[in-house]
Amino acid sequence: MAPIERVADKLEQPDLDDRSYRVIRLPNKLEALLVHDPDTDKASASVNVNVGSFSDAEDMPGTAHAVEHLLFMGTKKFPAENAYNQYLTSHSGYSNAYTGPVETNYYFEIAAESEPSPDATTNGVDTSPLYGALDRFSQFFISPIFLSSTLDRELKAVDSENKKNLQSDNWRLSQLNKSLANKKHPYNHFSTGNLQTLRDDPRSRGVDVRQEFINFHDKHYSANRMKLVVLGKESLDTLEEWVGDLFAGVHNKDLPQKRWDGIDVFTKNELRTQVFAKPVMDQRTLDLSFPYLDEENLYESQPSRYISHLIGHEGPGSILAYIKGKGWANGLSAGPSPVCPGSAFFSISIKLTEEGLKVYFEVVKAVFEYIALIKQTPPKKWIVNEIKGMAEVDFRFEEKTSASDFVRTMSSIMHKPLPREWLLSGTDLLRKFDPEAIETALGYLRPDNFRLTLISQTYPGDWDKQEKWYGTEYKVVPIPSDVAREIEKATESTEKDRISDLHLPHRNEFIPSQLTVEKKETNEPLKAPKLIRNEESVRTWWKKDDRFWVPRANVFLTLRNPLASVTPANMVRTRLFCALVKDALVEYSYDAEIAGLEYELGEYYVGMGIDISGYSEKVPVLLEKVLVTMRDLEIKPDRFQIVKERVVRGFRNADYQQPYQQVGEYTAWLSSDRGWINEQYRNEITSITVEDISMFYPQLLRQLHLDIICHGNMYKEEALKITDLVQSTLKARTLPQTQWNVSRGLILPPGGDYTYRRDLGDPANVNNCIEYYLFCGNLVDRELRAKILLLAQMTDEAGFDQLRTKEQLGYVVFTGMKMAATTIGYRVIIQSERSTEYLEERINAFLAMYSKTLSNMTQDEFEGHKRSLINKRQEKMKNLDQETQRLWNHISSEYLDFLQREHDVEHIKPLTKSSMLAFYNQYIHPTSPHRAKLSVHLLAQSSPKAMAGNMTPAEQKEKAISTISKLLTAMGVAVDHARLNQRLAPIDIAGGDQAGTVDAIATYLQDDAGLPEEEVDEVRQEGQQLLGTILPGLGIEVKPVVDGVDSVSGASEEELPQAPEMKPTTLIENVRDFKASLMVTAGRRPVVELSEFEEVEPKL
């Protein structure tokens, strides 16, 4: 066998990067980046295959995506369908994948090392868990088996994923843009796939869909099209040996890179047109899309960065500053988006106001006048140098991300034609000023080379078409000739006739110059900050960075005042005030943002929060500007109306989020002593005036208590100066502790069973959602917390496998711990087309079944779960922001539990199986008389039952039989309608008897139609899955069976685990009465005395 080729041993890398890198190429031409990280506690790997949805057959869209799903379902070497994920879960790991237009990316993350255990042994030699994961992972690309018994289930998962996105504007508008592209370009295709495109339509044409997926894998998956990244603690030589060993079997077919050169994404038919699209959420967006050059070979100059820097600028002289000043827009973004090798777009997206919508062509003309300004001004080297300089600073001090984020990103980048030494830096750094490349790129931004898309719920109102895959209403018309002439005139405008407010940006005063970090070696980094001011008016926490050594700092503040949240109206006033401050700061803060300095300002339960993050030199400058703007805010009536309208839309659009994103708000509301929900905010905002805010915000700032943390490249004196700056700027009176809000939770009584039902706001959404919450007790009960954490670990893979993979209840399935202000519990979330009552029944069945699983669990398995959980709790922080957020969470929670993770490990270690069983049977088991449950049911307005209307059971049965007849005919079966009706007559189809229906059809096929047994088995398997789709569409709640998988002998059928008999639930019809009936917990208090953290040492 040919030797492994070492392509590169030295990569250009950030200053603080302590990893070692090597690029190798295997004899089969698979290229791999190996990463040795001596300090990592997570290992990871990713394979990026250079093929995606653009390679789908036209008559089977979604094939690449389906293959991605199916590769997880067993291989010849590891045939059990969940062997891979079970292995990862047992070693604190997880996996995922995604399919793009020209790539499919598979990745996993796992503990970098573990204690000796039975499955950490490979070939008799103890190894890292990484070897076992790579062994299983590599087989995806060597010998996947595409288990026929899992095929329909995974296609249904793809279908469920698609249905999850049907009401998402991001997906809807993206597909509309694609559907209205050149039909000869694969960009035009539908990429996700659904049951119709991947199963029903192909089978009706006589296609063996499983064989099509196998053929796709055989045709497109080749070692020379794959890039592998592996990150671990092991040496590069060891990683090279493993990769050479495990991936040598990937077949190389020497396939060329897929390209679509010479096929325009937009032809003349698509250019110079207006597309009017109606969104689900209330928004007004103007998009200009220019077909653009592919910059993959321009990695040294990247001309689009110059162009997007200028067009997307938000400071004085910019497009946004001008149209915002006119009251036409709130935001603008610009930049390139690659389509495939050889094709790209340059897109400009503008968030319009109501007034801007009326004059959107004026906005378009302003954009083209600015483009004319850029074209007529020779490319400025100083602007490129600013961009280049900040890129170099950012790369130099780049911090680590999670192992899986790194490998996933790098395996994709490896397909770019970069020198291998520049893999880490090639997309980040600008290496030369190339004015000719900039001018060439600007040449694509022409009035004859763009398409305009206007997204609005109200304009023009006469949409006359519906997009095929998502149903988006739209209309396409040419840009009127008189407007086209005005745009051309704008493009030719000169300094004399151009809008005088437009000009290039000034030099950026926020570019940092002091980037030195004093690194002091410590035996062990501090786990808690020091309390350096502890007064009635302020607490200041400080921690000098002793882990990451970057010239950055984070300063977070809480401005505590109970007035902010005492009523929903005050909460809305506080939000409006924060939004008005941010609106006033847009031009000033943009320079800071592009110089790596950001801020956030927002309202929350105890008052307001300000976060400043970035290069430490300029942090005080930006903080002072934010504080002064808050203190001296002058509210202009026109801006107030624009900002208020934007906030109103935010409240309104919250009802159109995915159901699983909404359900937690209601559970938190019902579990808390105080608090408000979106509906209450929405009801209050309409009556709030500019005078209300003008009178309100001075009261909000008049009396405060300050909590501050300064963390990073900042000395104690600097943190104290920050504190003085805040106090001297705001000059607030002290808010005494007696007036602080006290956070309390509600105590669900033992044996309590409550259900809250609510209709979802989106009339077109088809998905219901349930959050099934089991209250367990006090948040700071260490032993209880350890048990819930361990339960969450044990049920993570088991719950997903049962509720999603086997029962196919929905694409969104979560299990795990849930924390409230002072309480803790266990929860299950499912988003599904099935009724919430059915979902609750299946959750009860799973929890009852899992009691037996836990009881039968071997000691090795139990200890493995403990090891995996401990690994997760001991995971190292990757960067400064992560540590700041952890410290701040402990401060803002008021518990000051900085050693929480250490305490978790201490209490997980002694847990026994018997103690977990006792806990489970008391707090979790559905039949426990002591457990306390709250379920929130969010109900779709467009559920299958609602769409079925008022059909009687007889009508439902008649329609079902008619549909079954058509499907059998499509499968090539001659149907005797009288005999089929006779077989189905005694079956309770309207009652959801899926198993009985399938059996009756099988009897008909075998006894009446005379089909061979193997064909009957095939139809039985397909029929079971098809009925799971057909019957809900007729308003029938299905009671399905589960595929029991035997990967050697084939599939067998098992009954679903039985749900226990449950006592009736108590419906929550009056929330106030419900809350009034419950006891409350104690409030939040520190678990450690404040004096433990006080700094008594002399100043540094």
Side-chain angles (χ1 to χ4, degrees):
M1 181 184 288
I4 293 173
E5 177 189 356
R6 292 188 179 176
V7 179
D9 266 319
K10 181 66 177 172
L11 272 61
E12 185 175 33
Q13 60 195 88
D15 285 3
L16 300 172
D17 188 354
D18 59 355
R19 294 166 171 162
S20 303
Y21 301 91
R22 180 182 296 166
V23 181
I24 62 172
R25 187 175 294 113
L26 303 188
N28 60 5
K29 296 189 180 178
L30 186 149
E31 189 179 48
L33 170 63
L34 310 177
V35 186
H36 163 59
D37 186 339
D39 295 324
T40 190
D41 51 4
K42 292 289 185 182
S44 189
S46 170
V47 166
N48 189 291
V49 188
N50 194 198
V51 66
S53 60
F54 279 12
S55 297
D56 291 344
E58 286 194 29
D59 59 356
M60 209 165 159
T63 298
H65 185 208
V67 168
E68 172 225 302
H69 274 248
L70 289 162
L71 289 199
F72 287 82
M73 295 292 111
T75 61
K76 287 181 181 176
K77 186 172 181 181
F78 300 100
E81 66 174 85
N82 61 342
Y84 172 62
N85 282 325
Q86 275 187 336
Y87 180 86
L88 294 177
T89 302
S90 69
H91 294 286
S92 315
Y94 70 94
S95 68
N96 211 334
Y98 68 82
T99 302
V102 294
E103 64 178 357
T104 307
N105 196 310
Y106 303 84
Y107 60 95
F108 70 81
E109 187 173 287
I110 196 166
E113 57 189 357
S114 68
E115 300 170 23
S117 64
D119 48 4
T121 300
T122 307
N123 298 328
V125 180
D126 282 343
T127 69
S128 144
L130 176 60
Y131 184 93
L134 287 172
D135 193 8
R136 289 158 176 79
F137 186 52
S138 62
Q139 295 300 312
F140 282 27
F141 314 103
I142 298 170
S143 59
I145 55 179
F146 293 88
L147 277 173
S148 57
S149 56
T150 67
L151 181 64
D152 276 358
R153 286 212 315 265
E154 282 310 303
L155 295 184
K156 195 169 181 185
V158 171
D159 187 68
S160 184
E161 182 177 351
N162 179 60
K163 284 176 177 170
K164 173 180 73 72
N165 299 327
L166 287 178
Q167 289 300 102
S168 163
D169 279 327
N170 285 341
W171 286 90
R172 292 165 67 89
L173 296 171
S174 171
Q175 184 60 53
L176 178 63
N177 197 45
K178 295 195 292 182
S179 294
L180 295 178
N182 178 8
K183 289 182 169 30
K184 294 181 180 179
H185 197 287
Y187 181 73
N188 175 257
H189 295 170
F190 171 49
S191 59
T192 307
N194 58 30
L195 280 178
Q196 178 188 340
T197 67
L198 294 169
R199 187 189 69 184
D200 300 348
D201 286 354
R203 283 179 178 169
S204 71
R205 300 192 301 267
V207 173
D208 180 342
V209 295
R210 176 174 176 269
Q211 190 58 50
E212 285 300 305
F213 300 137
I214 293 171
N215 293 345
F216 185 93
H217 188 276
D218 288 345
K219 179 179 179 182
H220 295 292
Y221 277 51
S222 172
N224 74 305
R225 278 185 175 174
M226 296 181 189
K227 305 297 182 185
L228 166 66
V229 181
V230 180
L231 183 154
K233 288 180 81 81
E234 293 74 18
S235 69
L236 293 176
D237 289 345
T238 299
L239 294 176
E240 181 176 313
E241 181 185 347
W242 289 358
V243 167
D245 228 7
L246 298 173
F247 288 85
V250 181
H251 186 42
N252 177 31
K253 299 154 193 169
D254 273 322
L255 299 176
Q257 182 192 46
K258 296 273 284 187
R259 299 187 67 90
W260 292 269
D261 297 315
I263 308 175
D264 293 328
V265 182
F266 287 171
T267 67
K268 289 183 179 179
N269 294 329
E270 288 82 42
L271 295 170
R272 302 187 72 162
T273 58
Q274 299 181 81
V275 178
F276 299 102
K278 184 180 180 182
V280 171
M281 290 194 177
D282 191 1
Q283 60 168 297
R284 294 177 297 271
T285 304
L286 171 65
D287 287 337
L288 306 179
S289 297
F290 298 84
Y292 185 70
L293 59 84
D294 178 7
E295 292 187 352
E296 67 176 7
N297 290 307
L298 298 174
Y299 47 81
E300 291 189 83
S301 59
Q302 300 176 51
S304 63
R305 288 175 71 169
Y306 179 87
I307 299 169
S308 57
H309 173 78
L310 296 179
I311 294 177
H313 209 282
E314 298 179 7
S318 65
I319 299 170
L320 181 62
Y322 171 71
I323 58 180
K324 183 171 175 281
K326 287 285 188 181
W328 294 344
N330 289 313
L332 181 151
S333 60
S337 51
V339 173
C340 62
S343 300
F345 288 117
F346 190 95
S347 301
I348 303 170
S349 183
I350 301 167
K351 299 297 182 186
L352 298 174
T353 63
E354 290 179 314
E355 193 61 33
L357 181 64
K358 298 174 186 175
V359 294
Y360 71 93
F361 275 131
E362 293 299 318
V363 176
V364 174
K365 288 194 297 185
V367 169
F368 276 97
E369 286 203 24
Y370 196 85
I371 290 172
L373 165 65
I374 302 173
K375 287 181 175 181
Q376 292 163 21
T377 307
K380 300 285 188 182
K381 189 171 185 178
W382 73 264
I383 294 177
V384 172
N385 284 342
E386 266 197 359
I387 302 168
K388 179 174 177 286
M390 273 312 305
E392 289 167 355
V393 170
D394 288 341
F395 180 73
R396 180 182 167 194
F397 296 106
E398 187 173 85
E399 296 176 82
K400 290 179 181 178
T401 57
S402 73
S404 58
D405 282 350
F406 175 82
V407 299
R408 182 181 72 237
T409 303
M410 290 309 302
S411 64
S412 178
I413 287 174
M414 287 179 74
H415 285 295
K416 297 181 182 295
L418 291 165
R420 302 294 90 174
E421 292 79 5
W422 290 356
L423 282 177
L424 301 177
S425 60
T427 59
D428 294 338
L429 298 184
L430 286 179
R431 299 176 190 275
K432 67 178 183 181
F433 172 54
D434 188 342
E436 291 79 14
I438 292 171
E439 288 169 351
T440 299
L442 280 167
Y444 287 84
L445 275 54
R446 307 188 310 270
D448 65 340
N449 188 51
F450 82 103
R451 180 163 80 186
L452 183 157
T453 302
L454 191 67
I455 302 159
S456 165
Q457 284 191 335
T458 58
Y459 185 85
D462 60 342
W463 309 277
D464 55 2
K465 295 182 178 65
Q466 274 198 327
E467 194 276 323
K468 177 179 179 180
W469 301 108
Y470 289 82
T472 305
E473 294 182 70
Y474 72 96
K475 177 181 180 179
V476 181
V477 296
I479 292 175
S481 55
D482 57 330
V483 174
R485 284 193 296 273
E486 287 189 50
I487 292 173
E488 288 173 5
K489 182 180 176 183
T491 310
E492 296 164 359
S493 62
T494 63
E495 188 176 353
K496 292 180 181 178
D497 51 8
R498 186 180 304 128
I499 297 166
S500 60
D501 290 338
L502 298 178
H503 59 79
L504 296 184
H506 51 66
R507 295 181 187 271
N508 190 343
E509 300 302 322
F510 277 97
I511 300 291
S513 57
Q514 297 177 19
L515 297 167
T516 56
V517 179
E518 184 183 359
K519 185 173 181 179
K520 290 185 177 179
E521 293 300 334
T522 56
N523 293 329
E524 185 179 355
L526 294 174
K527 293 178 180 176
K530 298 291 186 182
L531 182 59
I532 58 173
R533 285 275 295 272
N534 183 17
E535 301 165 6
E536 193 176 5
S537 60
V538 62
R539 287 178 186 164
T540 300
W541 300 83
W542 163 75
K543 182 173 185 283
K544 178 80 168 67
D545 175 28
D546 54 3
R547 293 176 190 267
F548 306 107
W549 313 113
V550 288
R552 297 190 182 97
N554 295 319
V555 175
F556 292 179
L557 297 82
T558 293
L559 281 58
R560 187 189 297 270
N561 186 330
L563 186 65
S565 63
V566 71
T567 64
N570 273 16
M571 203 74 165
V572 173
R573 291 185 184 103
T574 307
R575 180 174 296 189
L576 279 168
F577 169 62
C578 293
L580 286 161
V581 171
K582 289 193 283 188
D583 185 69
L585 283 167
V586 166
E587 288 186 31
Y588 179 87
S589 64
Y590 186 74
D591 273 351
E593 183 181 332
I594 58 179
L597 197 61
E598 297 179 333
Y599 84 99
E600 185 50 60
L601 169 67
E603 84 292 344
Y604 69 113
Y605 176 66
V606 301
M608 290 180 291
I610 304 173
D611 299 349
I612 311 283
S613 300
Y615 293 102
S616 50
E617 177 191 355
K618 305 288 185 177
V619 162
V621 179
L622 181 57
L623 174 59
E624 183 175 17
K625 182 66 175 180
V626 172
L627 291 169
V628 169
T629 306
M630 292 173 70
R631 183 193 67 194
D632 300 338
L633 182 67
E634 180 185 343
I635 307 175
K636 299 175 181 176
D638 58 335
R639 292 310 301 171
F640 173 79
Q641 290 303 326
I642 289 169
V643 170
K644 177 182 172 180
E645 191 274 334
R646 192 169 70 224
V647 175
V648 168
R649 275 189 290 128
F651 289 138
R652 195 157 53 228
N653 287 339
D655 288 342
Y656 288 79
Q657 294 180 103
Q658 292 277 359
Y660 77 91
Q661 295 172 318
Q662 299 182 49
V663 72
E665 177 187 41
Y666 296 105
T667 313
W669 179 49
L670 295 165
S671 304
S672 177
D673 180 34
R674 291 186 58 226
W676 321 113
I677 56 173
N678 185 69
E679 175 190 296
Q680 295 167 310
Y681 302 143
R682 195 175 63 238
N683 292 340
E684 294 292 342
I685 193 169
T686 52
S687 62
I688 294 175
T689 64
V690 64
E691 291 77 19
D692 287 334
I693 305 301
S694 296
M695 290 188 294
F696 175 72
Y697 88 79
Q699 298 174 47
L700 198 59
L701 297 176
R702 186 170 295 141
Q703 190 173 23
L704 299 168
H705 178 272
L706 304 173
D707 273 312
I708 303 172
I709 187 171
C710 299
H711 177 224
N713 187 38
M714 190 172 282
Y715 288 99
K716 183 177 179 180
E717 294 99 325
E718 294 171 298
L720 291 170
K721 285 179 182 176
I722 291 271
T723 306
D724 292 340
L725 171 67
V726 178
Q727 290 188 303
S728 63
T729 304
L730 296 180
K731 295 183 171 64
R733 290 173 51 225
T734 297
L735 180 77
Q737 281 198 31
T738 53
Q739 295 181 34
W740 296 8
N741 281 336
V742 178
S743 296
R744 300 178 188 272
L746 297 173
I747 300 171
L748 295 183
D753 190 314
Y754 303 94
T755 300
Y756 179 72
R757 293 176 181 154
R758 190 179 185 94
D759 288 338
L760 285 156
D762 182 358
N765 165 64
V766 299
N767 285 307
N768 301 299
C769 188
I770 182 173
E771 180 163 21
Y772 178 111
Y773 171 62
L774 299 173
F775 170 88
C776 294
N778 190 333
L779 182 62
V780 292
D781 181 331
R782 304 280 191 201
E783 186 176 347
L784 180 65
R785 177 182 164 86
K787 288 174 179 175
I788 298 172
L789 284 167
L790 184 55
L791 175 64
Q793 158 67 28
M794 294 191 296
T795 57
D796 180 44
E797 196 276 333
F800 188 88
D801 183 57
Q802 181 63 39
L803 299 173
R804 180 182 151 174
T805 304
K806 287 192 170 73
E807 297 194 29
Q808 287 291 300
L809 295 179
Y811 185 74
V812 177
V813 174
F814 299 134
T815 61
M817 183 170 77
K818 184 179 181 71
M819 294 185 293
T822 58
T823 59
I824 192 168
Y826 178 83
R827 62 97 179 267
V828 180
I829 291 179
I830 304 176
Q831 179 174 299
S832 172
E833 290 181 82
R834 298 193 182 279
S835 73
T836 51
E837 292 84 0
Y838 182 74
L839 298 177
E840 179 133 351
E841 178 187 308
R842 299 316 311 148
I843 293 169
N844 284 332
F846 167 69
L847 294 177
M849 179 190 76
Y850 196 77
S851 175
K852 297 173 185 173
T853 302
L854 179 56
S855 182
N856 295 330
M857 189 177 290
T858 67
Q859 193 60 35
D860 280 347
E861 288 173 323
F862 182 77
E863 292 299 325
H865 281 299
K866 285 170 60 179
R867 279 195 304 272
S868 184
L869 176 58
I870 288 169
N871 279 335
K872 289 178 183 175
R873 302 311 292 161
Q874 293 178 330
E875 184 176 346
K876 294 177 182 178
M877 291 174 284
K878 304 297 186 294
N879 50 59
L880 183 76
D881 289 347
Q882 205 175 67
E883 185 180 11
T884 306
Q885 197 59 61
R886 184 181 293 183
L887 297 175
W888 188 237
N889 287 343
H890 290 309
I891 293 168
S892 57
S893 75
E894 301 182 54
Y895 286 118
L896 308 182
D897 197 3
F898 298 109
L899 299 181
Q900 183 185 71
R901 287 171 177 256
E902 288 76 7
H903 287 301
D904 286 344
V905 171
E906 180 185 325
H907 286 79
I908 292 163
K909 284 180 177 178
L911 290 179
T912 63
K913 197 175 92 169
S914 60
S915 68
M916 282 300 295
L917 267 172
F919 159 77
Y920 192 94
N921 289 331
Q922 177 174 351
Y923 290 100
I924 309 298
H925 198 288
T927 60
S928 167
H930 304 290
R931 79 166 195 163
K933 181 184 72 69
L934 168 65
S935 283
V936 176
H937 294 197
L938 298 187
L939 310 176
Q941 294 184 44
S942 295
S943 65
K945 275 194 174 179
M947 290 189 288
N950 297 315
M951 276 194 288
T952 65
E955 290 171 329
Q956 288 175 319
K957 184 169 185 174
E958 183 182 345
K959 283 184 175 290
I961 293 174
S962 172
T963 305
I964 290 166
S965 296
K966 291 175 183 175
L967 286 170
L968 291 174
T969 301
M971 291 177 187
V973 177
V975 177
D976 182 327
H977 296 282
R979 285 188 177 277
L980 180 61
N981 272 287
Q982 187 178 356
R983 294 291 184 187
L984 291 168
I987 307 302
D988 185 13
I989 296 178
D993 185 1
Q994 183 186 29
T997 305
V998 170
D999 287 343
I1001 294 169
T1003 302
Y1004 165 79
L1005 294 173
Q1006 193 161 344
D1007 296 354
D1008 301 328
L1011 263 64
E1013 188 174 343
E1014 59 271 16
E1015 289 186 35
V1016 173
D1017 288 342
E1018 186 177 340
V1019 174
R1020 174 194 287 273
Q1021 188 178 330
E1022 291 184 21
Q1024 180 179 306
Q1025 295 293 333
L1026 287 169
L1027 286 173
T1029 302
I1030 295 165
L1031 299 184
L1034 299 172
I1036 298 168
E1037 293 300 334
V1038 178
K1039 295 182 179 178
V1041 294
V1042 178
D1043 288 333
V1045 178
D1046 179 336
S1047 57
V1048 177
S1049 60
S1052 62
E1053 292 182 353
E1054 300 172 348
E1055 289 296 324
L1056 285 167
Q1058 289 297 304
E1061 289 291 325
M1062 302 296 295
K1063 67 178 184 181
T1065 188
T1066 299
L1067 287 178
I1068 301 172
E1069 296 177 345
N1070 184 306
V1071 172
R1072 187 185 183 282
D1073 287 352
F1074 165 71
K1075 290 190 174 188
S1077 71
L1078 302 178
M1079 302 289 287
V1080 296
T1081 67
R1084 294 168 164 174
R1085 296 182 61 214
V1087 297
V1088 181
E1089 290 296 326
L1090 278 172
S1091 58
E1092 294 286 322
F1093 307 106
E1094 286 184 318
E1095 173 69 83
V1096 294
E1097 299 167 11
K1099 292 184 178 181
L1100 295 177

